[in-house]
Amino acid sequence: MRITTFRHAGGTGWGLVEGDGIVDLSGDPSLPYADASEALRSETVMDLALSACGLAPQHRLAEVTLLAPLPAPRRVLVVIDGQITELDQPEVARAGTAMPGGSRMLAVVIGSPTREVARERAVEHLLGATDAVLGGRRLTLGPWVVSRDETGDLDALHDAGRGLADIVSEASRRWSLSSGDVVLVPAC
């Protein structure tokens, strides 16, 4: 599953990328959320997948502008030199936004809430990941969040010096992690 937020002639929407198109879920009355961040915070990941099941894309990727897939994550944590800290409300921009001097990151997205999770169970709370660039208080995300079942080994995509299970477990001891929260780790 690939979740994205986009702009098209009719306004801004969010949905799932299928092939070269987007299944627009923003008009689904059973999913009344302003964007993908809000939908994930409501813990409806399975509802998203089921709602899109069998639907034909309404928009072609070539005809939309992809925005940050999660335009308003509630919490953004970052691993720098092995230490986890919280970013205070970073400005989130869409993928491809110029970020001179920014650091390439892997943005890991929490899929289910957790607090004080054991290392052995930590990865179960991950939805997936997306590309990111962090430059000061600005953050680019996108173009979409790829679910964990499609990403393969996320540990092969970052260079944080330790596994994501350790990072998520440690973060959950310091903060209550919610669906749609983002953990940034240096990308390979």
Side-chain angles (χ1 to χ4, degrees):
M1 173 170 59
R2 294 179 292 162
I3 302 166
T4 194
T5 301
F6 59 93
R7 186 175 349 181
H8 57 94
T12 300
W14 64 277
L16 302 180
V17 177
E18 292 290 333
D20 65 349
I22 297 175
V23 175
D24 188 346
L25 297 178
S26 48
D28 185 332
S30 69
L31 301 168
Y33 309 111
D35 57 45
S37 292
E38 189 177 309
L40 289 177
R41 278 194 297 275
S42 67
E43 302 172 40
T44 59
V45 174
M46 289 312 297
D47 291 343
L48 297 178
L50 292 173
S51 292
C53 189
L55 295 179
Q58 294 95 330
H59 309 287
R60 295 184 47 79
L61 284 172
E63 298 167 349
V64 302
T65 300
L66 295 174
L67 305 174
L70 303 173
R74 186 181 67 84
R75 173 170 282 136
V76 177
L77 304 175
V78 61
V79 177
I80 298 174
D81 296 327
Q83 301 299 312
I84 305 170
T85 59
E86 184 172 13
L87 293 179
D88 186 31
Q89 299 178 338
E91 175 190 338
V92 179
R94 71 180 177 88
T97 300
M99 190 82 64
S103 300
R104 263 193 63 222
M105 308 292 276
L106 175 68
V108 182
V109 180
I110 302 298
S112 59
T114 187
R115 177 77 178 149
E116 298 184 7
V117 67
R119 181 194 176 288
E120 297 76 25
R121 308 266 337 254
V123 174
E124 296 171 19
H125 293 274
L126 299 180
L127 168 65
T130 190
D131 293 326
V133 177
L134 179 63
R137 293 190 31 79
R138 294 190 70 210
L139 172 65
T140 66
L141 292 173
W144 43 68
V145 174
V146 180
S147 61
R148 190 169 44 108
D149 63 319
E150 293 184 20
T151 60
D153 181 10
L154 287 172
D155 280 331
L157 303 176
H158 72 85
D159 187 23
R162 57 185 168 144
L164 289 174
D166 287 334
I167 292 167
V168 172
S169 179
E170 179 184 333
S172 75
R173 288 190 301 273
R174 294 179 59 193
W175 298 276
S176 290
L177 302 179
S178 300
S179 301
D181 285 354
V182 173
V183 180
L184 301 171
V185 293
C188 289

